[in-house]
Structure formats: C-alpha cells, structure tokens
C-alpha cells in the first residue's frame, strides 16, 4: 500500500496480528501498533488520536492545557472524598492541594491547575465521585 | 506431623494465586474466599472451592477473621494461608485459627506479637545484640520526651508510627524547632491510619539502602537465611523494584546480616517465613529496622536466586516437617529483579487507575516469571490495592537481568487502564540505577528530574499513517470486534498486497 | 572481536522469538524473514525489521540461503542465526555466509561437515577414543555388506540413514531374514526424505536411554560441557519430553560423558553451541550416537539448571568473545522438564491439527517458562512443523518439577485446534515416568496401554447444567462475541444472584 | 440459580470470568468451564455438546461410530496426498492403511474403519485435500 504523507510517498505494509494489533512494515522497518481505546501504542509509545479526522493526531498525552479562564479540578479516577482542603472564595496557588480522594488504598491529593480564587467546591467529605466529576473550580 | 488435605487461602489477587499454585503442586485442595467485588476474580476461578465472605469493603470481607474461620469449618480446611496484608500479621486471627483447630500458616501468635510490633521488636533486637538505628525503644509519651530523645541521638531524626507501615505516620525532622509540629502530625496520621497514635523516634540515616534478609524456620528449632533482597527503590516508602542479591552485599556482610536475623527470630521462637528489614548506610553498617512476620510481596526474587520455593516450604513447615536444609546448602546464583505492576498512572501523579482491562499481553521466554492476578475482561476494583502483577527477570548477572527486564517490559501490554510499566523502563535505563547507586531517596530524586526515556522515535509520518488506518476503520464498522474490523480494513485497503 | 549491531534470524516460530529476545536483551537489532504463510506470524511482529522471502513452501523460503543472504545484505545485518532445522546444519549455507561477509552463528563449515555427518562423526568419535555403538562406520554399499557387518556385531541391529534424523530411514532388524527388505526400505525412505539413500548399521541397544551433552566452545580453544539432558521420551524417534539432569546420571558419569564430548568437539575445531547425543544402556555404559551442530529445541532445560543463557553465549562466541567460564564454575541446580506442545491430536492418531487458535491461556507463576511461537487469532499453517510452544518447569527436585509441570498444564488452554496437552498429563502421572523408569521405547509402550487419566470426574449433573448454559446462550444471541453473550445470559438467568 | 437435573435440585452459581470462560460454583465446589467451538472443557475434561438440545450432551469425544454399511475415510486435517495404498474393488482389513497425507512435515496414514471392500477412492497422489474430504469409501 502506498501512502502519501505531506506530499512524500511512503510504502506501507500493514497486517493484523491479533485483535487490536497491527504489524506495520515501512521500508523494512517493522513496527508493532496496538489499539488501546482512543490511543495507539506505536512501538511502545502512546499516541492519542482522533478517530474522526484521519490526518489529525494529537501527539503525546499530557500536552498543554490552556491556562486562561476558570478551570475545573476533576476526579481522575473514581473514589471517595476524604478531605476538602479549600472553601469557596479562598485564594489558592497553582499546585496547591484542593481535595484528597481515596481509591485503591491510596490517598491522592488533587491540585489546583492555576493560581486564583476558588469559585466553587462541588463535593464534601464522604462523597463517592466518578471519573471526570468536577470537585472544585478555580477562577 | 499433620497432612494437609485442604488449605483455605485468606487473600486475593496474585498472592492468592501464588499460594494456590503451590498447593496444587503439592496435591492439596484449595479453598478461595471472596468479597462481592471479587466473584469473577482470578483467584476464585483458580480454586477447587469458593465461598463468599461479604461486601466489597475489606473490613466486611477479607479482614473478617470470624467469617473466614466459618468458611474453613464449613469446607473442612486443615489450614489457612493468609498471604500478605489483610490478616497476615494479625496475632488475634492466628490465635483464633489455633482455637478453631485450623493451622495458621505463619508464625505462632506469641512470636508475631513481639516481632510484629515495631517497638517490641526493637527491644528484642537489643536483647539479641543486633545493631539498630539509635532512638527510642518505646513509644514516646509526649513532645517533651521526643525532644529529649532527639537531643541524645542528634538531628536529623525520623518520627515513625509504632503500629504502622507504608510510610504513614512518618516525618523526617532536621531541627528541634520542627519537632513539636511533626510529632503531632505524625501521631494524628498514625491514629487515623492504624487506630493508634503511638510514635517513636530514630536517628535519620543519610542515603540509606533498604536491605532485608529472608528467613525460614521450622518447628524443630532450625532456622536458615535465604540471602538478602535490595528494596531501596521506593516511592512514598512503598517498594517499587526489588532485587536479589544486593549489589553492595558481599559474602561476609550477607553472613553477618543473616546470622543476626536468625538470632533475633530464634530468640522469640519464630516459625515459618519471615523477613528482617535493615537499613544499610554508606559505610555498609547495617541497622535493624523491623521484622515482617509473613511472606513478602517480593519473595520471588529470593526464589529465583536460591532455586527454592518459599511457599511450598511454608506449607511443609506448617504441617510439621523439618526444613531438611542446612545453611551451607543454600547458594545464591545469578540475579533477579522484580517490578510491581500497578494500576496507576505515573504520568499523572500516580493516580490509581481502576477499570476494565481490555488487553493483556504477557511477556514470556527465558528468565521471565510473571505472577499475575488479573485477566483480560476483569474490572480492577477500587476497593483494594492496585497491584496487578509482579514481573520477575532472572539472568546470570545484574546487568543481564536489567536488560532482560527491559525486554520483557517491551512485551508487556495492558490495555484499558493506565499502569506504571513506563516508570520501570525509565528506572531500568537510568545510569544511577544501572550502576546500583541507589538508596531509599533514589526514586523520588529521579521523579523530580526531567524525563527523557531515550527511546528511538518512530517517524511521524508512520504514526500518521497508523492513526489513519485505525481511524478509517472506526468510521465504517464501529460495532464489530477489533480483530474483524481490522481484517475488513486489510481487505478494503489491500494492506496485504 | 566484532560488535554486532544487527542479526538476521533465519527461522520462524518459537526459536526465532527466542533468538530475537536474546538479541534485544543485548541491544542488537533483529531482522525477521518470512514466507507468504508467515506475514502475520509472531516472529515478524517481534522483529525490528522484516523482509519477505517467498512462497509458503520451505524450499522456496526458509531453505533459500541465497534469498536470506540477499536480505542480510539489504538490511546490512552483521550476522545470521539459523535456529534449528532449516539451514542450521547446512555447511554450504555457513560457507556462503562467510563468503558474503556475514557471520554465521554456529560452527565453522569444516567442523559441521565432519561432525554433522553421521558416518564421518563416527569416524571422528573413533579417533577421539569415544565409545560408540558397534557397527559400520561408513555407509553400506550393498545388502551383502549389510549382512556381513550385521553378522560381525550380532543381531538385533538398527539400520539408519546417514544424512537423516527424526526417525526417517530407520529400521530395527532382529534376524538376518528381515535384513534385505529392511535395507531397501530404509534406503529408499532416506532417499525420499534427505536426497541420499546412504544407510549404515548399528548394534541395537536394548531399552536404551537417549542422553545428550550440551557443549559450548569459543574461538579461542575453550570448550565446556553444560551437563546432560535426558531425552528418552520419544514417539516415532521424535523427542516429546526432555529433562535436565537425567535421573540416572551422577557426577562421575556426567564428567566422563562431558569430557568425551568436549574431546570430540575439540578434535574437529568446533565452535559455538553443539550437542553430542549418546545412548546409555542399562549398565549405564554410554555410546556415541551423533552430534547436532546447532542449538537444540530442548536447550531451555539446560538454561534452567545451569542458570546460563545459551543463545546469548552463542552470540558472544560468534562475535569473538572468550567464554569467560571455566568448567568448574558450571553447576547444575534443581531439575527442569520441557514439554513440546504440538498442534496434533493424541486422541486421533496424533494427526496434525492446523487451523485458527481461538483461545490461548498461558500458564505462569513460579518456575514456569514458556517459549511460545503463536498468539490467539493466528492460523497455524500447514506448511511447517506443528510445534506451538515449549513449556518448561523448574523446581528443586524432579518430583517437584513434574508436579509443577502438571499444575502448569492445567492452566494451559489452547482453543480452536487440538494439541497434545493431554498426552503430557498422562505421561507425567504415569508411575514409570515418575520413577524415571524410561527408555526410548517407553512412550510407545505407554501409548499401547489403556488410557485412564485418573482425573476426578466432574459430576454429570454439573456437566449437564454447564452445557445447558452454553446452549441457551447460542440459541438467543448467535453472533456476538463470547464474552458479551455470556454476560447477557448471566443477566437474563440471574446467574450472579 | 437453582437447576433441576433428573428431578434433583442443585444450586448453581455461574459467573463469566473472561471471554468463553465460566466459573461455576456448585455446593462450594468451583469448576472452570471453557467454551471451545462445540465442546466445553469442564475442569480440564473435554465434553462435546449439542447446542440445539440443552439437555443432551454426547459425553467424551471418540465415542462409537456405527460399524454397519459403507463408511468413508475422511481427511482429519488439510494436507497433501502423498500415497494411495488401495484401489477400488480391493479387500481391506479394519485398520489397514488406505491413504497417506502429508501435513505439517508429518506423514499421516489413514486407516480403513472396517473390514470390507474399497467401494471408491476419491483422491490421487499430489491432491490437496480439505478437512472432512472423503478420501475413500469402504463398503
């Protein structure tokens, strides 16, 4: 299969080698690619991609979050709130702990993404939280 | 001597599997117990019998000694293996087993009471003439007492919870001015974590290594040491990588540490597997830290370098057999490294990552052992610790074992949840780790430094094409299984041409 | 000394994986070659580079030394590892590599020519003063010559193909009356199988064991033996189970066999890994049988008991490094057993069973090594030998290794095709095998006896219910993936209640 | 779940533990059951079953084949015919080799299921054969 990328032609031979796994050979080089949700692990390296635009891929995970405007502190995993360290109206520094969640026997501090004022706290001690749930908003 | 027909494994995850494998190999039937979160867990499907304990919370299931003994009676189990964690160091449970006529596979409750308490064990260490870190032997009654002891031994000092473990209730203190606040913080954290606010104080050893000695004692007065393990790679006082042997322990130091550990265990009538933990300073002097009166997570590295099976030895000792192994018959050969694979995200503050495992590609081949507690399709529950499996590499030398582990990590694929696999690659490629320049602060320093994994990049155009292939796919046949979707793309696009 | 940057692996299946793993651990890039039947094979997806050779037939792909060297040149490979089978014992290929400036990872062509020929090797064995089975040293020119030699050494005798292996062109002959017909049959079978009808004749040793010595020699005149392997469990002269050490070889016999093997290899300037095969009779006298001038299928059992890595040693020796290991530094510890897992049906005459592997559940845990060459979804091709993987169990004693292997076999699930897993369970539970009362006729005798695997039966009502659950399933939602179908039944039927 | 088998009630707790795998607990006993095509592997023991009659299961594989009437010798695996040892009209003994097929580097003799006369030979040397293909019929 010949592909054109940015005007350059490359010869690609791809072959399914198990559910969710491709062996891609490009100019003799063999690369094992694994589908994991919305990411592809290419030769051990994780690349997030958008399924809807075949030509767009977002590069390595963890790339920049815009720092302007109010930002939410969200639960990165399900768990239980064991401490709330800030109240609405309070000033916080970027990186300051805001809420502590316990999950899998570990206590995990969640930090403010920016320096600012706590606009809202969405949880209280004892609450069970779901992934992505907003715990607090810093404006 | 009493034959075991059936053993109840009072644990879950990889260690329950590990114990059941030993039982199966010895012709012993196995009984699993499970919480509601674990009906579909691997340890249940691996057992000959299985009984429900209660709801997901450990306090209502795996920590309920009464329910476990009830199952033992119903199933007519001859013995209970507690694994590690949960009830493994609970002397009351060991005693309750005895009362119920079920053998507890571990030390007698009396030895556990002394050696399992940090403060009592320190007193026992003093009696056994074992060097230990200078500090208080008993819990500190007050801030004033703490100040007095700290002045005696000199700063910096470390406050520690007497009942604790895992870094909870610990505080390093460099000056007297910080001591009062640290004392209160440590004590209240200990109270919250362990139900006891008792703390003690020790001289802080600079850049110490954490090195421990594995012991095995029978009921007939024999006790041997099975070499040491190097466990200095820790994060938040939790071991992350363990090795055997330690790069800094030679024959002489091994013998001295081993003999000291045996002396301590024998002084309290210890039986079964146990581990004596030491700090080793830069002058290679060693100091008693504490004793773990149970099988350790990291026992496989000892098994690899000694060629022995610790769990089978535990079962034999528990049923009254003599060790049948003299100290001089034990040899250390080659090098073994263990990585603890966790469901956590090292790129995101090590947050736990529970959820469904969608893919699981396990490494194999020469020198690789995997003790796995999960399977593809399993939903890692929120309720227990996030360890998924232990990966162990054995090779003739430390360097070869590191390179073998890197090879195996490259073969290991866990999909659907985040894991700390990438962290191990980073550590094992780090020049300081490879040169064995490690101490208990090593990993925190590494994590503070800039990451650069030195991996050769895949050309961007290839990445783009691969993403395109997957994308094409998902637009057209969104609901089929992955395998057939890909095959379909292969046909449409002529990928095999 | 020449550094290897890149090695071409001229093989497929588990052995290609094995070699690539060693390369990866040593920082050497790997080049896979594949036939059209193998584009999706595991060894391709495990390599850094991959190149097509030709059509599926081995004669048009993996046996085409010219194409392989062409790939080696294109990929700029420094060396070629031939694995076992295919071109591994082909002296012309070894020479062609040399001519092309590519290192052949194996012995020099000259040593291969002498020691790889059964008749020339027998002459070399005589020169080296090694005991061998009485018989002709050269190929027999005629039936008359066969009759004369057989009379000299006495019946029973065995006819064997000079170029052969794997039992082809072999015939046991008990009386002179049978000799002429057997000679013609053996010769024509040898002609068909190996392109040479040359046969020779040996005294038939009654109830012999097949025991072999592993050698490793460097380019600087050092050669060591790495203990023996017991390979008496054979079917149609194909090894089925291998062990190290042999239950009948003590230190003295090991030393005598080892030294004889080293003498033979050194006499012909042998370099790299090689194996000298012996028959051992009931009096524990040993007789030279032949030499395999390559890595053996069963090398892992030697790796387990010596703690060494034979493939890494091969690579080091091939790039000119000295062994760096003296004979007295090599120790044998514990016991290892290997089972060769084949796609064949032991309940149906051991017919090959190619096809798609739908499930693959691989065993793990302590003492288990699996060298696997397949994955779930892979279609085992018709064109090559039916070995899927090698399962190896290591434990402190032979008995514990047998029990461990049984445990691992119980964990091993291969769906979609038939395999010989059940055969291993039968052998490992057999009283004669457990007592090490084995010889090369052992397995055929066992297979002739009535099978009764001694497995505890599952109650019939439970089987009925399980079948009913599956059946219910398939009627209602025939096209979903298995997992979700079951989950659906679970919900409908309230299975979790 | 309560099941009734031949009038006896048994209590069964079944749970999916991976694709194609059930953990079945009956009176404390835990049994791992694996679906493999039209067979179920129950605690390591292979049981063929019919999907269409939930109550029927055929017991262990290899159970009796009726010995009356003409019987076909079928290819148990795909391969290539390398020898045909009988001709139509020839008498054969039960167990006598009829055809040799090579597959996976192994030569496999296929035997007559009964004593009788070869009614038909369906293949010749060099033919590629598929699983289940009739090689010969013995009447």
């Amino acid at each position: 299969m010949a592909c054109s990328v940015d005007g350059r032609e490359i010869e690609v031979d791809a072959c399914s080698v198990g559910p969710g796994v491709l062996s891609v050979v490009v100019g003799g080089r063999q690369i094992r690619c694994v589908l994991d949700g919305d990411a592809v692990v290419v030769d051990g390296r994780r690349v997030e991609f958008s399924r809807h635009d075949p030509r767009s891929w977002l590069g390595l995970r963890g790339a920049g979050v815009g720092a302007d405007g109010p930002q939410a502190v969200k639960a990165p995993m399900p768990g239980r709130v064991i401490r709330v360290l800030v109240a609405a109206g309070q000033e916080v520094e970027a990186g300051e702990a805001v809420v502590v969640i316990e999950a899998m026997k570990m206590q995990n501090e969640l930090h403010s993404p920016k320096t600012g004022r706590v606009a809202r706290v969405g949880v209280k001690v004892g609450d069970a939280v779901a992934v992505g749930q907003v715990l607090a908003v810093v404006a | 001597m009493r034959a075991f027909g059936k053993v109840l494994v009072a644990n879950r995850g990889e260690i329950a599997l590990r114990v059941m494998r030993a039982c199966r190999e010895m012709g012993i039937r196995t009984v699993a117990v499970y919480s509601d979160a674990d009906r579909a867990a691997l340890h249940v499907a691996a057992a000959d019998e299985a009984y429900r304990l209660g709801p997901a919370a450990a306090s209502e299931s795996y920590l309920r000694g009464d329910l476990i003994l009830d199952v033992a009676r119903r199933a007519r189990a001859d013995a209970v293996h507690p694994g590690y964690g949960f009830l493994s160091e609970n002397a009351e449970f060991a005693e309750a087993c005895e009362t119920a006529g079920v053998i507890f596979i571990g030390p007698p409750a009396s030895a556990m009471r002394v050696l399992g308490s940090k403060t009592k064990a320190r007193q026992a260490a003093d009696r056994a003439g074992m060097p230990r870190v200078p500090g208080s032997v008993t819990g500190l009654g007050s801030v004033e007492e703490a100040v007095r002891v700290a002045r005696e031994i000199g700063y910096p000092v470390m406050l520690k919870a007497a009942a604790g473990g895992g870094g909870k209730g610990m505080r390093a203190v460099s000056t007297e001015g910080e001591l009062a606040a640290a004392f209160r913080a440590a004590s209240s954290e200990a109270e919250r974590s362990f139900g006891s606010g008792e703390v003690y104080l020790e001289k802080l050893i600079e850049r110490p290594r954490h090195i421990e000695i594995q012991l095995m004692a029978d009921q007939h007065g024999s006790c041997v040491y099975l070499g040491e393990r190097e466990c200095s790679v820790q994060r938040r006082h939790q071991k992350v990588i363990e090795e055997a042997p330690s790069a800094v322990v030679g024959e002489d130091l091994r013998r001295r540490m081993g003999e000291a550990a045996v002396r301590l265990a024998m002084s309290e009538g210890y039986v079964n597997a146990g581990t004596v933990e030491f700090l080793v300073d830069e002058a290679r002097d060693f100091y008693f830290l504490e004793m773990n009166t149970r099988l350790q997570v990291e026992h496989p590295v000892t098994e690899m370098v000694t060629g022995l099976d610790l769990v089978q030895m535990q079962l034999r000792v528990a049923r009254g057999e003599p060790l049948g192994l003299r100290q001089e018959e034990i040899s250390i050969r080659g090098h073994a490294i263990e990585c603890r694979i966790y469901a956590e995200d090292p790129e995101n503050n090590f947050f736990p990552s529970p959820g469904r495992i969608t893919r699981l590609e396990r490494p194999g081949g020469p020198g690789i052992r995997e003790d796995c507690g999960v399977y593809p399709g399993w939903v890692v529950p929120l309720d227990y610790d996030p360890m998924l499996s232990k990966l162990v590499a054995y090779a003739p030398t430390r360097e070869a074992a590191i390179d073998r582990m890197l090879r195996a990590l490259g073969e290991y694929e866990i999909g659907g949840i985040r894991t700390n696999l990438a962290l191990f690659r980073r550590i094992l490629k780090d020049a300081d780790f490879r040169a064995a320049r490690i101490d208990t602060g090593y990993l925190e320093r590494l994590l503070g430094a800039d990451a650069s994994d030195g991996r050769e990049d895949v050309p961007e155009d290839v990445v783009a094409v691969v993403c395109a292939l997957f994308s094409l796919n998902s637009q057209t046949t969104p609901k089929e299984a992955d395998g057939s979707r890909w095959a379909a793309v292969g046909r449409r696009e002529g990928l095999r041409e």
Side-chain angles (χ1 to χ4, degrees), chain B residues 231-348:
Chain B
C231 310
S232 299
V233 179
Q234 304 185 348
R235 198 180 70 83
R236 294 198 197 175
H237 304 281
Q238 295 275 8
K239 297 165 186 167
V240 170
I241 289 181
E242 300 101 345
E243 305 177 55
S246 164
V248 298
V249 175
E251 273 188 41
D252 175 63
L253 182 55
R254 178 174 304 128
R255 189 180 41 73
R256 286 188 292 124
M257 291 174 76
E259 286 175 0
V262 166
R263 219 160 39 234
L264 174 66
M266 301 280 274
S267 74
E268 300 299 327
Y270 198 82
V271 172
N272 218 296
T275 296
V276 179
E277 298 190 328
F278 294 96
L279 289 184
V280 176
D281 66 17
E282 290 175 305
R284 305 212 181 161
D285 288 322
F286 62 92
Y287 305 95
F288 173 71
L289 202 55
E290 63 180 70
M291 180 160 181
N292 291 316
T293 60
R294 51 159 169 88
L295 188 69
Q296 303 270 92
V297 174
E298 59 269 27
H299 74 275
V301 293
T302 298
E303 295 184 321
M304 301 298 265
V305 298
T306 60
L308 298 172
D309 185 309
L310 296 191
V311 180
Q312 288 199 18
M313 286 170 91
Q314 282 195 296
L315 292 164
R316 292 212 175 83
V317 159
R319 69 188 181 193
E321 291 179 35
L323 273 181
L325 188 70
R326 292 188 315 275
Q327 187 63 51
E328 58 272 24
E329 292 174 293
I330 295 161
S331 63
I332 307 295
R333 187 171 77 183
H335 197 94
I337 300 182
E338 173 180 283
C339 292
R340 299 188 183 193
I341 316 294
Y342 283 108
E344 63 182 20
D345 188 352
E347 291 179 40
N348 191 15

Side-chain angles (χ1 to χ4, degrees), chain B residues 21 25 305 309 331 333 362 365 370 403-404 407 411:
Chain B
R21 282 169 163 155
E25 292 170 9
V305 298
D309 185 309
S331 63
R333 187 171 77 183
R362 298 161 46 205
E370 198 212 1
D403 289 333
R404 176 156 285 170
R407 185 271 292 172
E411 294 176 8

Side-chain angles (χ1 to χ4, degrees), chain B residues 197-492:
Chain B
E198 191 181 3
V199 296
Y200 63 97
L201 186 151
E202 277 180 356
K203 174 95 182 149
L204 184 84
I205 307 283
E206 312 247 20
R207 296 205 167 222
R209 288 172 180 258
H210 175 123
I211 297 178
E212 59 191 27
I213 295 286
Q214 175 68 53
L215 297 179
M216 185 68 72
D218 68 17
Q219 299 180 23
H220 310 283
S222 278
C223 180
V224 295
Y225 59 90
L226 303 172
E228 80 284 1
R229 291 184 289 258
E230 164 73 75
C231 310
S232 299
V233 179
Q234 304 185 348
R235 198 180 70 83
R236 294 198 197 175
H237 304 281
Q238 295 275 8
K239 297 165 186 167
V240 170
I241 289 181
E242 300 101 345
E243 305 177 55
S246 164
V248 298
V249 175
E251 273 188 41
D252 175 63
L253 182 55
R254 178 174 304 128
R255 189 180 41 73
R256 286 188 292 124
M257 291 174 76
E259 286 175 0
V262 166
R263 219 160 39 234
L264 174 66
M266 301 280 274
S267 74
E268 300 299 327
Y270 198 82
V271 172
N272 218 296
T275 296
V276 179
E277 298 190 328
F278 294 96
L279 289 184
V280 176
D281 66 17
E282 290 175 305
R284 305 212 181 161
D285 288 322
F286 62 92
Y287 305 95
F288 173 71
L289 202 55
E290 63 180 70
M291 180 160 181
N292 291 316
T293 60
R294 51 159 169 88
L295 188 69
Q296 303 270 92
V297 174
E298 59 269 27
H299 74 275
V301 293
T302 298
E303 295 184 321
M304 301 298 265
V305 298
T306 60
L308 298 172
D309 185 309
L310 296 191
V311 180
Q312 288 199 18
M313 286 170 91
Q314 282 195 296
L315 292 164
R316 292 212 175 83
V317 159
R319 69 188 181 193
E321 291 179 35
L323 273 181
L325 188 70
R326 292 188 315 275
Q327 187 63 51
E328 58 272 24
E329 292 174 293
I330 295 161
S331 63
I332 307 295
R333 187 171 77 183
H335 197 94
I337 300 182
E338 173 180 283
C339 292
R340 299 188 183 193
I341 316 294
Y342 283 108
E344 63 182 20
D345 188 352
E347 291 179 40
N348 191 15
N349 222 355
F350 293 92
F351 283 138
S353 178
R356 184 178 299 277
I357 296 173
T358 53
R359 281 180 56 77
L360 185 62
E361 201 66 54
R362 298 161 46 205
I368 294 302
R369 163 175 172 181
E370 198 212 1
D371 277 38
C372 189
V374 299
Y375 61 87
W378 168 240
V379 178
V380 181
L382 256 176
D383 310 278
Y384 314 108
D385 104 8
M387 191 157 71
L388 303 171
S389 85
K390 301 184 313 205
L391 184 60
V392 186
Y394 172 86
T397 64
R398 183 171 189 270
E399 187 189 6
I402 292 172
D403 289 333
R404 176 156 285 170
M405 181 64 92
L406 279 165
R407 185 271 292 172
L409 288 166
E411 294 176 8
Y412 212 147
E413 293 169 3
I414 303 175
I417 57 173
R418 297 309 172 93
T419 69
N420 58 351
L421 285 171
L423 171 69
F424 294 115
R425 277 194 286 270
R426 187 169 167 201
I427 296 170
L428 296 173
K429 287 177 176 174
D430 177 61
D432 283 335
F433 180 82
R434 295 186 71 98
R437 286 189 297 264
I438 49 176
D439 59 72
T440 57
Y442 160 77
L443 182 54
E444 308 278 3
R445 289 195 301 275
L446 181 73
L447 292 172
D450 273 348
S452 139
D453 72 354
R455 183 189 288 276
E456 194 185 342
D457 268 6
V458 176
E460 294 206 352
D461 46 10
V462 172
V463 172
V465 168
V466 170
C467 291
L469 291 173
F470 282 101
S471 300
L472 267 170
N473 246 346
S474 59
Q475 290 174 342
T476 43
T477 49
K479 275 295 170 196
E480 287 175 48
D482 285 336
S484 46
R485 264 198 282 157
W486 286 29
V489 168
R491 284 190 298 274
R492 269 199 318 280

